[in-house]
């Protein structure tokens, strides 16, 4: 969520019990402004908190010209000193998937090791080879943040527009969903490169607005029911929680342009979801 | 020259007039014209002085057009539709009613100080927001007013898919408890009896299974073990509080094997394997019992064992604690440094689903005895009998690890101003469970999904192995039909035997006649 409205928005997403202490809020207000100047970001978002066993990571995102592509992630332990996270490449994601297991420790230098025995050659020449995959926690963190953004980042429909040049920007005239629309999952979109959009039939595409509907709606997610949509704070605020990534909370106040999401959790994907519904 | 200049300006003016006329031409569809529209849009820009107006001119124009179409006068009257937020606000308004109590009673109220709790929790980075906590406090006040309570505590909040539960942990005043649950059980028993009666009436009964389920572990009585406290839940502050039923050991045992999310409806069925006995209210109660037993902690020395005069209890069965009045606060650093400064003050739940082990074998027949013992052997190979859990007031440092994850993490609320900081622990087994300590004050809270951290993928329980087929013996195997030769051979053999018998009879017929007669008789 935007760092400038952090104070206000944090109370709206704290329904799952996690928030920031006054000290952390104050520190964020100071440090994120400096961060914005130093890295020349257009906007700085407070992304969330990943809880480790020994320490917690606070994560901020800086946004450049393009809201979707120009994003950089930074982490901090004390909300003051920020360190840039490496870019999550395909190879890195594969490595982390293999090696990293269990809870985050809270030490970026900690290395996860995984030994794998691979067979090479055939018949008598078969050689067993031990392959060691080493991944530092800093890289795991980068991949986790990237994956969470890819799988469960949420924006209301119409909040972002894609210009004819292909850049994605906030929609200045977004005035919020109305309460009826806000209760439906198909008015919320995944803020990531669309996967299913092109597969839609012409009939479905007919009432889509290409400058707004360039993203996948949440209602198409598989399995169905991987989201919990509720109205909280006296039924005024629409709160969406992901059941796939426990800890991701999105809020939107209908008929205002206030929306945002935050992740506060242990950074583990809920793979047991099919058994739990 | 002058003429030509005038001509030119005339021409220009004429062209301008033509263009204006063109702009003023009304659209055949909407009866609007562009000139007026542009005027309106530009007037609006002038009035509002928008930043970068050119970027949003399309939207402005659209808005202006839309505002033209609004019907200002309509003969239809607006029927105000009540939204859910209005309904809820109406219900929550009751919470804010000030009841003027005639006399200022100085009676000790069981109402917890949620405002203080909010203050401390916020420092640890936990909380539901001040406004929400205030509402919860008011809702708890409502609960205290309508129920005869001796003790009340804000236990926490459990998140569900459609709604959340706010949970209050209460203790009734002595003798003022309502008995509700007993009735339900009797009804169940009656039903069972009816079914039995029906079965007996049938003339040709279906073969009955010889399987006897192991005897159910008896429920713990009120105010002891897992049923030490009573729990009330409500969906939103202001909505009615619902009392949860008491928990049975069977519910706890099954709840340990399943992994389900709460829906937010107390009467929702729990579809699971192994089947859960009861609906979501029972499941919620079972999870609350498990979470309480696992995560309710207090600083070392705050509680002490109750010294009872009538030495009736045995060694190790000390199941109640009381506040230690001489408790001296432990320094924050000591609380953060070591987990042994924190102790559990709620009894551990055994594998049996109870806090106090009960010997099932005593009550039931020998046949069932074996089963029970076998089960126990499976569960705890080292200590088959009786089950013993860690005693009360066991330090957290002795909690077991799960998949190399330490069960607790300790933190300090502030590193910058450590002299006023408070210490808190976070459970890694039950994500969402927190406890803080500040001086002599401590509190526990759970806000989460009500699910335990497993450390690895959840493996659902497998169905039991199928019943073995009965042993095949000669009495149930089908015999081969004899061939013609075999039949003839048999016939010959029988004839020979017959002949031999007749010979024998002829030999000693007279001697054995009497005997035969006797045998025949």
């Amino acid at each position: 969520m935007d760092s400038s409205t952090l104070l206000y928005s944090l109370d709206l997403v704290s329904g799952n019990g996690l928030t920031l202490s006054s000290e952390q809020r104050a520190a964020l207000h100071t440090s994120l402004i400096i961060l914005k100047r130093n890295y020349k970001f257009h906007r700085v978002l407070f992304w969330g908190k990943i809880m480790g066993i020994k320490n917690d990571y606070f994560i901020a995102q800086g946004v450049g010209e393009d809201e979707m592509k120009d994003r950089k992630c930074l982490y901090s332990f004390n909300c003051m000193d920020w360190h840039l996270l490496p870019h999550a490449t395909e190879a890195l994601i594969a490595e982390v998937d293999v090696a990293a297991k269990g809870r985050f420790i809270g030490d970026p230098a900690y290395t996860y090791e995984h030994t794998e025995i691979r067979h090479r050659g055939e018949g008598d020449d078969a050689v067993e080879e031990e392959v060691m995959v080493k991944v530092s926690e800093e890289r795991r963190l980068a991949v986790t943040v990237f994956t969470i953004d890819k799988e469960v980042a949420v924006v209301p429909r119409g909040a972002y527009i894609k210009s004819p040049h292909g850049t994605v920007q906030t929609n200045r005239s977004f005035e919020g969903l109305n309460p009826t629309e806000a209760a439906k999952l198909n008015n919320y979109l995944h803020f990531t490169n669309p996967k299913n959009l092109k597969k839609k039939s012409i009939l479905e595409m007919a009432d889509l607005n290409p400058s707004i509907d360039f993203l996948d709606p949440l209602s198409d997610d598989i399995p169905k029911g991987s989201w919990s949509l509720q109205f909280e704070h006296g039924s005024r605020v629409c709160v969406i929680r992901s059941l796939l990534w426990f800890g991701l909370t999105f809020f939107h106040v209908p008929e205002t342009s206030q929306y945002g999401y935050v992740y506060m959790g242990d950074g583990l994907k809920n793979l047991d979801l099919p058994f739990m519904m | 020259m002058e003429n030509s200049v005038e001509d030119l300006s005339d021409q220009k003016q004429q062209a301008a007039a033509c263009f204006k006329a063109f702009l003023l031409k009304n659209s055949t569809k909407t009866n609007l014209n562009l000139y007026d529209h542009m005027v309106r849009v530009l007037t609006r820009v002038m009035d509002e002085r928008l930043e970068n107006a050119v970027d949003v001119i399309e939207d402005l124009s659209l808005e202006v057009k839309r505002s033209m179409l609004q019907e200002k006068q309509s003969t239809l009257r607006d029927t105000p539709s009540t939204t859910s937020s209005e309904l809820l606000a109406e219900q929550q308004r009751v919470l804010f009613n000030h009841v003027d109590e005639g006399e200022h009673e100085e009676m000790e109220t069981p109402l917890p100080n949620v405002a203080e709790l909010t203050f401390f929790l916020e420092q640890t980075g936990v909380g539901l927001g001040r406004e929400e906590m205030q509402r919860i406090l008011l809702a708890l006040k409502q609960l205290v007013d309508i129920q005869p309570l001796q003790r009340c505590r804000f236990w926490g909040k459990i998140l569900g898919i459609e709604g959340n539960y706010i949970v209050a942990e209460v203790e009734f005043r002595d003798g003022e408890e309502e008995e509700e649950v007993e009735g339900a059980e009797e009804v169940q028993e009656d039903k069972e009896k009816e079914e039995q009666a029906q079965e007996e009436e049938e003339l040709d009964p279906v073969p009955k299974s010889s399987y006897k389920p192991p005897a159910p572990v008896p429920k713990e009585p009120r105010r002891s073990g897992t049923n030490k406290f009573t729990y009330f839940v409500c969906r939103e502050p202001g909505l009615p509080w619902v009392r949860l039923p008491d928990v049975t050991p069977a519910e706890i045992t099954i709840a340990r094997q399943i992994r389900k999310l709460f829906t937010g409806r107390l009467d929702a069925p729990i579809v699971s394997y192994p089947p859960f006995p009861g609906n979501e209210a029972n499941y919620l109660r079972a999870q609350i019992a498990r979470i309480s037993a696992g995560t309710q902690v207090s600083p070392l020395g705050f509680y002490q064992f109750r010294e009872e005069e009538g030495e009736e209890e045995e060694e190790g069965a000390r199941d109640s604690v009381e506040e230690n009045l001489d408790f001296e606060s432990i320094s924050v650093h000591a609380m953060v440094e070591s987990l042994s400064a924190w102790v559990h003050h709620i009894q551990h739940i055994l594998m049996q689903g109870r806090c106090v082990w009960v010997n099932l074998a005593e009550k039931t027949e020998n046949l069932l005895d074996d089963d029970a013992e076998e089960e126990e052997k499976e569960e705890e190979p080292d200590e088959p009998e009786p089950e013993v859990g860690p005693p009360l007031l066991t330090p957290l440092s002795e909690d077991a690890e799960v998949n190399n994850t330490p069960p607790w993490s300790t933190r300090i609320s502030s590193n910058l101003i450590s002299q006023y900081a408070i210490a808190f622990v976070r459970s890694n087994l039950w994500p969402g469970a927190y406890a803080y300590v500040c001086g002599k004050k401590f509190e526990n809270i759970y806000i989460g999904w009500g699910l335990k951290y497993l450390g690895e993928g959840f493996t659902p329980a497998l169905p039991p192995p199928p019943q073995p087929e009965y042993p095949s013996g000669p009495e149930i195997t089908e015999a081969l039909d004899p061939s013609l030769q075999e039949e003839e051979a048999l016939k010959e053999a029988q004839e020979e035997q017959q002949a031999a018998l007749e010979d024998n009879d002829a030999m000693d017929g007279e001697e054995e006649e009497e005997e035969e007669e006797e045998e025949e008789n």
Side-chain angles (χ1 to χ4, degrees):
Chain A
M1 56 182 71
D2 205 309
S3 57
S4 48
T5 57
L6 187 65
L7 200 67
Y8 165 83
S9 344
L10 256 182
D11 258 6
L12 299 181
V13 290
S14 61
N16 60 350
L18 289 167
T19 174
L20 296 177
S21 71
S22 312
E23 189 183 300
Q24 288 157 353
R25 286 179 203 215
L28 282 176
H29 265 255
T30 311
S31 67
L32 291 182
I33 290 175
I34 298 172
L35 188 75
K36 187 174 161 186
R37 187 197 64 192
N38 289 352
Y39 284 89
K40 299 187 172 61
F41 290 134
H42 283 218
R43 205 153 80 88
V44 180
L45 308 173
F46 175 68
W47 187 85
K49 175 164 98 169
I50 288 187
M51 296 189 291
I53 284 167
K54 293 191 187 127
N55 258 317
D56 300 342
Y57 295 98
F58 294 90
I59 295 166
Q61 265 182 341
V63 182
E65 183 66 34
D66 189 314
E67 288 275 343
M68 203 183 322
K69 285 169 197 144
D70 298 349
R71 285 202 175 206
K72 279 179 185 157
C73 298
L74 302 103
Y75 72 93
S76 160
F77 289 111
N78 53 7
C79 300
M80 282 311 282
D81 309 318
W82 295 91
H83 313 279
L84 200 63
L85 277 175
H87 186 69
T89 55
E90 295 269 328
L92 189 59
I93 294 172
E95 273 182 22
V96 169
D97 279 350
V98 170
K101 295 257 158 31
R103 293 280 305 266
F104 278 83
I105 305 294
D107 173 16
Y110 179 87
T111 39
Y112 296 90
E113 287 175 5
H114 179 80
T115 351
E116 210 177 40
I117 297 172
R118 278 184 205 161
H119 298 276
R120 197 178 263 185
E122 279 176 20
D124 298 336
D125 307 335
V127 184
E128 283 192 356
E129 193 183 12
E130 282 196 356
V131 182
M132 172 93 89
V133 184
K134 277 188 184 174
V135 176
S136 71
E137 188 158 276
E138 190 181 40
R139 289 165 172 237
R140 184 186 175 194
L141 187 69
V143 169
T144 308
V145 172
F146 175 80
T147 319
I148 292 176
D149 262 347
K150 195 174 102 187
E151 294 186 354
V152 287
V154 184
V155 291
R157 179 171 179 258
Y160 286 89
I161 45 170
K162 195 173 193 173
S163 73
H165 307 294
T167 52
V168 177
Q169 281 170 331
T170 46
N171 184 358
R172 278 183 57 182
S173 10
F174 176 65
E175 290 186 326
L177 304 170
N178 68 39
T180 333
E181 282 174 344
K184 288 176 189 154
L185 267 186
N186 57 6
N187 286 312
Y188 299 94
L189 311 171
H190 281 286
F191 196 60
T192 180
N193 282 326
K195 282 182 230 154
N196 302 326
L197 207 58
K198 288 169 194 120
K199 294 173 198 157
K200 281 197 177 144
S201 68
I202 293 173
L203 199 65
E204 283 174 305
M205 292 284 273
D207 53 62
L208 299 186
N209 179 350
S211 66
I212 290 176
D213 296 294
F214 59 99
L215 302 168
D216 285 331
L218 298 192
S219 51
D220 289 355
D221 279 13
I222 296 170
K224 297 256 180 234
S226 53
W227 296 94
S228 150
L229 190 151
Q230 293 178 29
F231 283 86
E232 289 187 358
H233 294 271
S235 284
R236 283 184 303 116
V237 186
C238 174
V239 175
I240 301 181
R241 296 199 177 90
S242 171
L243 305 179
L244 195 61
W245 287 92
F246 280 142
L248 186 115
T249 321
F250 165 87
F251 82 95
H252 173 50
V253 189
E255 290 178 328
T256 68
S257 57
Q258 293 154 2
Y259 61 88
Y261 69 90
V262 75
Y263 179 83
M264 291 209 191
D266 42 22
L268 299 177
K269 188 174 179 174
N270 176 23
L271 296 171
D272 305 334
L273 183 64
F275 299 111
M276 293 160 72
M277 290 186 295
Chain B
M1 284 296 282
E2 280 177 12
N3 272 346
S4 62
V5 172
E6 273 176 22
D7 278 355
L8 204 64
S9 67
D10 270 358
Q11 269 181 359
K12 275 183 184 170
Q13 276 190 353
Q14 206 175 358
C18 280
F19 188 62
K20 190 180 171 185
F22 168 74
L23 288 179
L24 276 166
K25 208 161 85 178
N26 277 6
S27 151
T28 48
K29 282 177 192 159
T30 54
N31 206 25
L32 293 174
N33 66 56
L34 185 57
Y35 186 83
D36 289 345
H37 179 68
M38 294 301 279
V39 168
R40 280 191 206 99
V41 171
L42 290 176
T43 319
R44 193 155 165 195
V45 171
M46 275 197 286
D47 288 349
E48 296 184 3
R49 298 266 162 186
L50 295 168
E51 193 77 11
N52 301 343
V54 67
D55 293 343
V56 286
I57 194 79
E58 296 93 338
D59 294 308
L60 263 184
S61 147
L62 194 70
E63 235 173 85
V64 166
K65 270 190 188 168
R66 210 179 275 163
S67 65
M68 301 274 294
L69 292 171
Q70 269 175 2
E71 271 187 271
K72 294 207 175 80
Q73 284 182 329
S74 165
T75 47
L76 292 174
R77 196 178 286 177
D78 256 4
T79 47
S81 58
T82 44
T83 59
S84 59
S85 54
E86 283 166 7
L87 281 175
L88 188 67
E90 203 61 45
Q91 272 166 316
Q92 286 186 336
R93 203 176 66 166
V94 185
L95 294 178
F96 295 89
N97 281 352
H98 176 69
V99 183
D100 204 15
E101 290 161 30
E103 61 224 57
H104 275 282
E105 290 177 58
E106 284 300 309
M107 209 178 78
E108 217 170 87
T109 167
L111 190 65
N113 191 348
V114 176
E116 191 186 76
L117 174 74
T118 318
F119 170 74
F120 284 122
L121 281 182
E122 203 189 76
Q123 294 186 36
T124 66
V126 182
L128 299 170
R130 285 185 196 170
E131 198 190 331
E132 191 68 10
M133 289 297 257
Q134 191 61 38
R135 283 214 188 88
I136 290 171
L137 174 58
L138 289 169
L140 286 174
K141 181 170 177 288
Q142 192 187 32
L143 177 70
V144 167
D145 287 346
I146 53 173
Q147 299 280 353
L149 302 181
Q150 189 194 354
R151 195 176 150 278
C152 176
R153 196 172 79 83
F154 175 47
W155 185 87
K157 177 177 172 185
I158 288 196
L159 304 170
I161 299 173
E162 292 164 34
N164 310 318
Y165 296 113
I166 290 160
V167 185
E169 183 183 83
V170 305
E171 234 176 318
F172 281 97
R173 270 184 235 144
D174 287 332
E176 293 196 51
E177 242 172 294
E178 304 148 42
E179 298 292 327
E180 294 170 17
V181 198
E182 304 286 320
E185 272 179 17
E186 277 169 24
V187 171
Q188 262 194 353
E189 278 172 21
D190 284 351
K191 265 189 189 172
E192 277 172 25
K193 276 179 196 166
E194 274 176 32
E195 278 171 22
Q196 278 181 357
Q198 275 184 357
E199 277 174 26
E200 280 165 16
E201 277 170 27
E202 280 174 43
L203 287 173
D204 189 13
V206 188
K208 271 184 197 166
S209 162
S210 62
Y211 170 74
K212 280 185 189 166
V217 184
K219 190 164 90 174
E220 284 180 300
R222 285 271 164 77
R223 291 164 186 274
S224 76
T226 46
N227 286 323
K228 192 172 179 194
F229 301 110
T230 312
Y231 293 89
F232 280 90
V233 295
C234 74
R235 285 190 59 160
E236 284 270 350
L239 298 187
W241 288 93
V242 182
R243 180 181 173 164
L244 291 182
D246 283 355
V247 69
T248 63
E251 284 163 14
I252 290 185
T253 342
I254 304 287
R256 280 176 169 152
Q257 298 174 37
I258 63 175
R259 203 163 163 77
K260 293 288 275 187
L261 283 170
F262 291 92
T263 61
R265 284 174 283 118
L266 280 177
D267 53 350
I270 302 285
V271 183
S272 68
Y273 184 81
F276 185 80
N279 54 21
E280 190 164 299
N282 301 91
Y283 179 52
L284 179 63
R285 182 65 188 80
Q287 290 298 77
I288 289 176
R290 291 179 63 202
I291 294 169
S292 298
T295 66
Q296 302 272 304
V297 294
S298 56
L300 177 69
F302 189 88
Y303 286 112
Q304 61 186 13
F305 286 112
R306 188 165 290 160
E307 288 162 19
E308 282 187 22
E309 284 147 26
E311 281 308 315
E312 51 190 275
E313 42 189 345
E314 299 151 33
E315 198 58 36
R318 291 192 289 188
D319 58 352
S320 61
V321 288
E322 61 182 4
E323 254 180 67
N324 180 3
L325 298 175
D326 310 325
F327 171 64
E328 282 180 18
S329 59
I330 306 172
S331 79
V332 170
H333 289 279
M335 296 299 292
V336 175
E337 291 293 305
S338 86
L339 276 173
S340 48
W342 296 85
V343 294
H344 287 277
H345 63 259
I346 298 276
Q347 276 179 298
H348 175 80
I349 305 180
L350 303 172
M351 289 307 288
Q352 206 180 27
R354 285 170 60 103
C355 292
V356 182
W357 193 77
V358 65
N359 195 356
L360 287 176
E362 278 178 5
K363 291 179 184 173
T364 49
E365 298 156 41
N366 293 335
L367 197 144
L368 290 178
D369 194 355
D370 294 345
D371 289 353
E373 266 178 36
E374 268 174 24
E375 272 181 16
E376 275 151 24
K377 272 175 198 163
E378 279 169 17
E379 284 159 359
E380 267 182 47
D382 299 331
E383 290 180 348
E385 209 180 325
E387 269 185 72
V388 183
L392 268 178
L393 304 187
T394 306
L396 300 192
S397 48
E398 293 185 13
D399 283 10
E401 287 196 351
V402 166
N403 274 35
N404 302 326
T405 308
W408 295 90
S409 294
T410 53
R411 292 291 152 81
I412 188 164
S413 68
S414 167
N415 285 316
L416 297 176
I417 312 167
S418 50
Q419 44 287 41
Y420 297 124
I422 60 174
F424 68 102
V425 287
R426 177 197 289 160
S427 171
N428 293 329
L429 283 193
W430 289 98
Y434 294 85
Y436 72 80
V437 63
C438 175
K440 290 189 179 185
K441 286 178 177 143
F442 80 94
E443 195 58 74
N444 292 284
I445 195 161
Y446 178 85
I447 305 173
W449 293 92
L451 296 169
K452 193 170 179 170
Y453 171 70
L454 294 178
E456 55 190 4
F458 168 68
T459 320
L462 292 173
Q467 198 180 10
E469 286 187 27
Y470 42 80
S472 62
E475 66 273 11
I476 53 162
T477 39
E478 195 177 354
L480 283 174
D481 277 346
S483 60
L484 186 64
Q485 285 86 2
E486 279 171 341
E487 268 182 27
E488 279 176 353
L490 187 72
K491 222 175 184 176
E492 273 175 29
Q494 277 177 345
E495 277 172 7
E496 268 175 32
Q497 229 177 344
Q498 198 75 27
L501 271 175
E502 277 168 16
D503 285 354
N504 277 350
D505 286 351
M507 294 262 288
D508 42 33
E510 283 157 19
E511 289 170 23
E512 288 186 4
E513 243 180 5
E514 289 168 10
E515 285 174 24
E516 275 182 13
E517 276 175 8
E518 277 175 4
E519 276 174 19
E520 276 168 15
N521 290 336

